Amino acid sequence: MIKFCCSIATLAMLLSGVANAQVIPLDPEVTVGKLPNGFTYYIRKNNTPEQRAVMYLVNKVGSILETDEQRGLAHFLEHMAFNGTAHYPKNELVDYLQKAGVRFGADLNAYTGFDETVFQLPVSTEDKTVFRNAIQVMRDWAQSVTLSDEEIDNERGVILEEKRQRLGASQRIQAKTMPLAVNQSLYADRLPIGTEEVLRNFKHEQLREFYHDWYRPDQQALIIVGDVNVQQVEKTIKSMFSDLRVPAHPRERKHVTIPLTGKNQFLTLTDPELVTTRFQVTMKRPALEMKTREQFSESLIRTLFNVMISNRLNEQAQLAAAPFLSAGGSVGQMMANLDAFSGQVVLKPAQTEKGIKAYWTELVRVQQYGFTETELQRAKISFMSSMELNYKEREKTPSESYVREYVEHFLHETGSPGVAYEYALYKSVTDTLTVKGIPQYFSDINRDIVITTNDKQKDSLPSEATVATWLKEVEAAPLTAYVDKTINRTALLDKAPVPGTITSTTFIKELSITDLVLSNGMRVLLKPTTFKKDQVSFQGFSPGGLSLVSDADFYAGSIASSLASASGVADMSQQELRKMLTGKNISVVPFIGELSEGISGGASTEDLETALQMVYLYFTSPRKDPVVFNNMIEQARLSYSSNNNSPRKIYGDTLSAVLGNYHFRKVQMPLEQLNALDADQAMAIYKSRFSDASNFTFTFVGNFDTATIKPLLEKYLGALPSLYKKETFKDLQLDYPQGRISRKVVAGKEPQAIVSLAFSGTFKYDMATSDQMKALAGVLTIRLTERLREQEAGVYNVNVNASTRKLPSGEYIFMINFICDPRNVESLILSVNSEIMKLKTEGPVEDDITKYKAGYKSGIERALKDNGFWLSYISSSLMNQEDLQLPDIKDRQQKITVESLQQTAVKYLNNSNYIRVIQIPVN
């Protein structure tokens, strides 16, 4: 039998140097206070990012507090906070914040859970008036939401559409598994989205009563972290929030728990949209609080346990004879008062018994023999390496990270001592911890087993008694201890490569970029930054990609980089490589795209040389693993065996085919081609695409010293072989289709329609026109959100995106997407076309342009202090053969006017190339 053992008390005895029940101190850098009315606040000065702050209003109010007649009202209240407050009637709040550069959805947002409702608002601190008004918004949300009859009724449709968006296989399965998961407790009947009956029919006063009962200062906290004056913010909070009132007879805030019954539960489920058969096991236990050093230490040990068991299961899945495609398991927070060990295995077709037994065998092996010291050592090194990186970057920690910690502190009293304290604590634990100190998190009681599969496999599902017999057979069988295959080698390379040299150096002063050419012809651009203390990101590319792969070889080429990436390098498998690189902060991934091939990656400053060694090996010694190849093919084959029963997949495949003009390179690989794929052919294509270093350009961005990095570039990138072929991509004319195209997909049974509308065409690419198109998409998003969501309550959200490309030829596409009631498809499309016509005939309103510009300015200002932005900007500029220049935000924004966007709409939102793809359910 798998049994639970090792209590927290026993664990504490194993942890030397950790005082019993010593409460974790709160980080002294955060100011915490409580007003006389019970309102709590957290304030912290943090300059990442500069001149910005993040505010959260946290309410210990969620759906669990609802009565049967109120199901869905906690979430409804969250929506209503954006529809009118004392200082911002109706939609003026969103309108004001958008003009201040706060993007609705991306920045301004909220969520409702079972036990809490949290509002978030990131805002600039540069404008003191905007910052103070943002605090006023928080005050209004706390107790001054207007809740007018008209706005309540207008919002009903929006929330019903949000509920509609969630329909599908996941929702159907959740509806059946949720009662089991929460042991038939109240949580099963309090999903935050609520019931359709309540959402349609509740009385206005019921919502107001819920707000009055629960939105009160003794259940609320304001968290502000950012580039702020702490004393001044504290003074403002006291002046604004001290008048919040606690009801004369406050309702008791009860805490609902999930009972542990001591029993086991079993459930099998089928759904026509499921692709694979999955075995899931959940072993429930009381939740671990996070208040003391012992509890933080056990949390660390759980993390190490999770790392080790995941590594074990991943290793088993890579065996040639593995009867499952993937497997995992971890112990952690479940919900409410429970934690759990949660495990899952994706079974191979017709191997249900073998797969479940093989998975259970590994759990029993851990239970009987535990882990090896070498496994634990790797897990400790990996964890502490991550902690050390966080410690080094502590002065660059984003404000959002601190805010999330303080949310947990307020809601659950979770300790927040700061990264320096945690680093020291975890180091003291890992220094002395042995495998004897690793508890088992398995149990043969309070255990749920759920097996899910496709409807067609219903008759093959085992019964509870059959599964119980399988598990007992595994537990009774003799097992040997796990043997950890360690890596003897200490270096990635057997011998140092013959280095190249730097043959030319140019400095681009306005961008602080050093432009190098190596002796093998490779070009390298270096942009040192201080945005992160210990991060270097890089990307290399060469023009060509799959465009230079013949039609006959295309399918093999399309999987080549995935095969190489998953197979390891040289004579090391992916598992061996993972073990060898334990503790190193490295990511190196090769890719072959439509127009280019290359390598993306990143590393800590200390590990950059190892990352460059990986780059060298992906060029010179890629590996083909036949087991990895077979698993890739088998995993892909499953999507065919389900006969594409997923409505979303059918719709997605249809949309891709239409947009790709039904070219075979743009649609799903046929099954017969999948079955004919050859690993040797794929690897030959990979080697061909990476055979000529002279055609590659690499960009490095991050915290490095230019003089120090140059010898590394010469040693590894300069040593790569070159053929000096001067290749470029081919224009295969894979353009968007021309003309008016309409497709209707009839699939699924849920009352849900998906609509995609597209306007496309060719144009002579230039950045200014691209800017106009993206601004037009932003303005149209604002207009359609106002029309389709706020006025007509026909959608939960609507997305408008403008994509432009210069290569291989100038093309653009505007995509408009939304989900709605099938009965409203045509009327909503008419509304979309009506708004587009207004843009053409009247132009956009100035307010909408102001909102777009404010959001764009806010986003680009943050992006300019991000390594990822600069890496993408430099690489894409080089790929597009454009001059490198500092983005002129002001100049680019000034060119966006009512007249320019009207002209852009007339020219590019034309009906000559118009695509309409709709999915509706089967009658």
Side-chain angles (χ1 to χ4, degrees):
M1 289 280 183
I2 291 184
K3 294 183 180 295
F4 165 78
C5 67
C6 194
S7 67
I8 293 178
T10 305
L11 175 66
M13 295 173 60
L14 298 171
L15 301 173
S16 60
V18 181
N20 186 41
Q22 183 177 342
V23 176
I24 292 287
L26 186 62
D27 189 340
E29 295 297 316
V30 59
T31 297
V32 182
K34 182 173 285 192
L35 302 180
N37 58 11
F39 187 84
T40 304
Y41 58 85
Y42 299 73
I43 313 167
R44 183 187 182 113
K45 170 79 172 176
N46 186 58
N47 292 332
T48 303
E50 294 177 345
Q51 296 186 330
R52 293 193 64 81
V54 180
M55 303 183 188
Y56 272 38
L57 178 70
V58 187
N59 305 272
K60 294 180 179 178
V61 182
S63 58
I64 202 67
L65 297 178
E66 299 165 349
T67 64
D68 285 345
E69 295 74 24
Q70 294 174 328
R71 284 175 291 177
L73 295 198
H75 174 247
F76 206 108
L77 259 178
E78 173 212 310
H79 277 239
M80 292 305 300
F82 300 96
N83 290 331
T85 69
H87 290 83
Y88 298 93
K90 295 190 175 182
N91 291 324
E92 287 184 18
L93 187 151
V94 174
D95 189 68
Y96 171 76
L97 290 173
Q98 283 182 320
K99 290 177 183 177
V102 180
R103 298 165 299 174
F104 185 55
D107 297 323
L108 178 66
N109 216 327
Y111 76 87
T112 302
F114 289 102
D115 294 287
E116 75 276 352
T117 303
V118 180
F119 298 89
Q120 66 184 58
L121 174 55
V123 66
S124 169
T125 58
E126 191 174 9
D127 187 323
K128 303 304 179 187
T129 301
V130 169
F131 179 67
R132 183 178 176 84
N133 287 345
I135 300 178
Q136 181 65 63
V137 169
M138 292 288 177
R139 166 59 183 84
D140 279 11
W141 283 341
Q143 214 165 66
S144 299
V145 178
T146 50
L147 301 176
S148 71
D149 291 355
E150 178 187 7
E151 293 297 330
I152 291 173
D153 288 336
N154 287 343
E155 199 65 22
R156 293 182 195 266
V158 174
I159 295 179
L160 287 168
E161 289 306 314
E162 181 179 358
K163 186 176 177 68
R164 187 187 310 279
Q165 278 200 176
R166 304 181 184 189
L167 298 176
S170 296
Q171 178 270 330
R172 293 192 295 269
I173 291 171
Q174 182 192 49
K176 296 176 182 177
T177 58
M178 188 68 175
L180 192 83
V182 299
N183 294 342
Q184 289 71 44
S185 67
L186 184 62
Y187 283 94
D189 203 32
R190 290 295 182 271
L191 291 176
I193 194 63
T195 67
E196 185 169 344
E197 180 183 359
V198 170
L199 295 174
R200 288 190 184 278
N201 302 309
F202 74 85
K203 296 178 180 179
H204 303 149
E205 197 54 41
Q206 289 177 288
L207 187 65
R208 297 185 187 113
E209 287 176 1
F210 190 88
Y211 186 53
H212 176 268
D213 286 343
W214 298 117
Y215 274 62
R216 61 196 205 211
D218 61 321
Q219 302 296 320
Q220 295 174 316
L222 176 62
I223 303 170
I224 300 179
V225 180
D227 193 355
V228 299
N229 181 310
V230 174
Q231 290 73 28
Q232 185 60 50
V233 170
E234 185 173 30
K235 183 179 178 181
T236 302
I237 291 173
K238 288 178 178 179
S239 68
M240 283 191 183
F241 291 81
S242 291
D243 64 344
L244 293 175
R245 299 179 303 279
V246 177
H249 303 288
R251 294 185 61 180
E252 180 185 357
R253 178 32 168 117
K254 295 181 179 179
H255 294 276
V256 179
T257 58
I258 300 172
L260 285 174
T261 64
K263 300 177 181 179
N264 294 334
Q265 303 177 94
F266 182 87
L267 182 66
T268 57
L269 292 173
T270 64
D271 191 277
E273 295 180 26
L274 294 181
V275 174
T276 58
T277 300
R278 295 172 184 260
F279 171 88
Q280 298 165 290
V281 59
T282 306
M283 303 173 187
K284 303 168 189 172
R285 60 201 303 264
L288 172 68
E289 293 186 325
M290 291 287 286
K291 300 178 183 179
T292 67
R293 285 178 64 93
E294 293 102 329
Q295 291 163 349
F296 265 64
S297 299
E298 185 180 353
S299 175
L300 161 63
I301 292 172
R302 286 185 175 191
T303 300
L304 299 178
F305 174 91
N306 292 342
V307 170
M308 290 186 288
I309 198 165
S310 294
N311 288 342
R312 281 263 192 109
L313 293 170
N314 287 336
E315 193 169 284
Q316 293 302 308
Q318 296 303 315
L319 296 177
F324 48 76
L325 291 169
S326 64
S330 63
V331 61
Q333 185 178 20
M334 183 184 157
M335 61 181 297
N337 57 304
L338 296 184
D339 289 346
F341 172 82
S342 301
Q344 175 176 283
V345 57
V346 179
L347 303 165
K348 288 184 177 179
Q351 297 199 49
T352 300
E353 179 179 355
K354 285 184 67 177
I356 291 174
K357 283 184 172 181
Y359 180 74
W360 203 253
T361 295
E362 296 312 312
L363 299 191
V364 173
R365 197 188 312 275
V366 171
Q367 192 271 335
Q368 288 184 7
Y369 295 102
F371 298 99
T372 68
E373 287 292 349
T374 50
E375 286 179 292
L376 177 59
Q377 185 65 15
R378 284 197 303 273
K380 289 196 292 187
I381 291 172
S382 178
F383 177 81
M384 287 309 300
S385 174
S386 176
M387 278 301 303
E388 184 176 2
L389 185 62
N390 290 338
Y391 179 72
K392 289 179 179 178
E393 297 286 3
R394 63 191 182 281
E395 294 178 7
K396 300 289 185 177
T397 301
S399 295
E400 185 73 34
S401 297
Y402 289 118
V403 171
R404 287 195 294 266
E405 280 195 33
Y406 305 147
V407 169
E408 290 302 305
H409 186 272
F410 176 67
L411 291 175
H412 309 297
E413 299 181 24
T414 301
S416 179
V419 67
Y421 184 98
E422 290 182 35
Y423 179 62
L425 170 60
Y426 293 150
K427 189 174 188 311
S428 71
V429 174
T430 55
D431 282 348
T432 57
L433 183 67
T434 67
V435 290
K436 294 180 180 179
I438 304 294
Q440 301 295 330
Y441 296 101
F442 307 127
S443 175
D444 58 2
I445 61 171
N446 294 312
R447 186 179 73 199
D448 299 344
I449 289 177
V450 178
I451 304 176
T452 58
T453 193
N454 188 276
D455 280 352
K456 294 183 179 180
Q457 306 299 320
K458 184 175 183 179
D459 293 339
S460 67
L461 284 174
S463 66
E464 181 175 8
T466 299
V467 172
T469 299
W470 291 349
L471 303 188
K472 288 178 181 177
E473 288 173 356
V474 170
E475 292 163 1
L479 273 181
T480 56
Y482 171 78
V483 177
D484 184 25
K485 297 177 181 177
T486 56
I487 303 299
N488 294 325
R489 62 191 301 165
T490 58
L492 280 173
L493 301 180
D494 293 328
K495 61 179 181 179
V498 178
T501 59
I502 295 171
T503 59
S504 75
T505 302
T506 306
F507 185 66
I508 307 172
K509 185 177 180 181
E510 58 270 25
L511 293 173
S512 300
I513 291 175
T514 300
D515 190 347
L516 309 174
V517 176
L518 302 178
S519 53
N520 59 2
M522 179 182 286
R523 185 182 179 191
V524 181
L525 288 90
L526 307 174
K527 181 172 176 59
T529 69
T530 57
F531 306 139
K532 289 281 188 180
K533 284 195 170 183
D534 198 19
Q535 182 190 72
V536 181
S537 300
F538 59 85
Q539 184 178 75
F541 74 89
S542 171
L546 292 172
S547 75
L548 298 184
V549 175
S550 69
D551 288 351
D553 289 340
F554 170 72
Y555 291 121
S558 68
I559 69 160
S561 59
S562 297
L563 175 60
S565 179
S567 293
V569 290
D571 59 350
M572 291 174 285
S573 69
Q574 187 68 16
Q575 294 293 333
E576 292 169 331
L577 191 61
R578 175 186 56 78
K579 291 180 180 180
M580 185 177 175
L581 297 178
T582 296
K584 294 187 178 295
N585 293 297
I586 291 174
S587 171
V588 181
V589 181
F591 66 86
I592 302 178
E594 182 181 336
L595 299 178
S596 64
E597 58 278 322
I599 291 181
S600 295
S604 64
T605 306
E606 181 181 350
D607 295 326
L608 180 58
E609 181 169 5
T610 305
L612 290 173
Q613 291 173 353
M614 285 288 295
V615 171
Y616 179 83
L617 289 172
Y618 272 126
F619 268 87
T620 61
S621 302
R623 186 173 184 272
K624 176 198 67 179
D625 189 321
V627 175
V628 167
F629 175 76
N630 289 335
N631 284 345
M632 285 174 58
I633 301 304
E634 194 157 11
Q635 187 109 32
R637 196 176 285 130
L638 284 173
S639 65
Y640 297 88
S641 64
S642 67
N643 292 324
N644 294 333
N645 285 326
S646 167
R648 292 288 179 96
K649 187 175 189 311
I650 297 171
Y651 177 75
D653 288 348
T654 302
L655 182 60
S656 295
V658 170
L659 293 176
N661 214 6
Y662 292 93
H663 193 283
F664 77 92
R665 290 180 180 242
K666 294 289 188 177
V667 299
Q668 184 181 36
M669 186 186 307
L671 179 58
E672 60 271 19
Q673 294 289 345
L674 177 71
N675 291 332
L677 284 176
D678 180 75
D680 290 329
Q681 183 186 18
M683 190 51 59
I685 293 169
Y686 177 90
K687 290 178 178 179
S688 172
R689 298 313 319 138
F690 286 86
S691 63
D692 187 3
S694 70
N695 223 32
F696 275 80
T697 300
F698 269 79
T699 302
F700 290 79
V701 178
N703 197 350
F704 57 81
D705 176 70
T706 301
T708 304
I709 199 175
K710 285 180 178 180
L712 297 178
L713 300 176
E714 292 176 319
K715 184 174 182 180
Y716 299 109
L717 299 188
L720 294 172
S722 289
L723 301 176
Y724 303 99
K725 292 189 294 187
K726 298 296 182 184
E727 286 183 329
T728 188
F729 52 81
K730 286 183 181 178
D731 185 356
L732 301 180
Q733 299 183 336
L734 304 179
D735 301 329
Y736 296 118
Q738 295 185 353
R740 295 177 62 83
I741 300 171
S742 179
R743 296 286 185 274
K744 181 183 288 187
V745 176
V746 180
K749 297 181 179 180
E750 304 288 2
Q752 180 188 76
I754 308 176
V755 177
S756 292
L757 308 174
F759 299 84
S760 64
T762 60
F763 78 117
K764 188 175 181 180
Y765 180 93
D766 66 84
M767 184 63 72
T769 305
S770 182
D771 284 348
Q772 295 290 334
M773 290 187 187
K774 290 174 182 178
L776 181 61
V779 167
L780 188 54
T781 297
I782 295 170
R783 295 305 313 140
L784 292 182
T785 299
E786 174 66 26
R787 175 79 175 264
L788 273 59
R789 174 178 165 136
E790 301 303 330
Q791 293 180 19
E792 301 180 12
V795 302
Y796 174 58
N797 56 27
V798 55
N799 297 310
V800 185
N801 291 297
S803 298
T804 61
R805 72 177 191 181
K806 182 178 181 179
L807 304 174
S809 59
E811 266 199 309
Y812 74 90
I813 186 167
F814 285 88
M815 289 290 301
I816 303 169
N817 302 289
F818 57 87
I819 294 174
C820 66
D821 187 324
R823 295 171 297 183
N824 296 336
V825 167
E826 297 304 329
S827 64
L828 290 171
I829 291 177
L830 283 174
S831 295
V832 170
N833 291 333
S834 172
E835 291 302 319
I836 290 174
M837 184 57 67
K838 286 181 184 178
L839 286 174
K840 292 179 179 181
T841 57
E842 304 169 14
V845 297
E846 193 68 54
D847 267 9
D848 290 343
I849 295 179
T850 300
K851 293 172 186 176
Y852 171 77
K853 286 183 176 181
Y856 173 81
K857 180 175 180 290
S858 173
I860 198 68
E861 285 174 348
R862 280 175 278 173
L864 288 170
K865 297 179 180 179
D866 179 75
N867 288 332
F869 166 80
W870 281 106
L871 182 63
S872 174
Y873 176 72
I874 296 169
S875 297
S876 61
S877 296
L878 296 171
M879 184 65 186
N880 283 334
Q881 301 162 10
E882 296 171 341
D883 293 335
L884 289 171
Q885 54 187 349
L886 190 68
D888 190 335
I889 304 170
K890 187 175 180 180
D891 178 64
R892 290 168 70 168
Q893 284 198 318
Q894 285 178 344
K895 294 177 181 177
I896 297 170
T897 65
V898 171
E899 293 76 18
S900 72
L901 292 189
Q902 183 178 6
Q903 292 169 7
T904 303
V906 170
K907 188 171 183 179
Y908 297 107
L909 291 178
N910 62 73
N911 293 321
S912 58
N913 289 342
Y914 173 70
I915 297 171
R916 158 184 160 137
V917 182
I918 300 168
Q919 179 207 310
I920 60 172
V922 178
N923 290 331

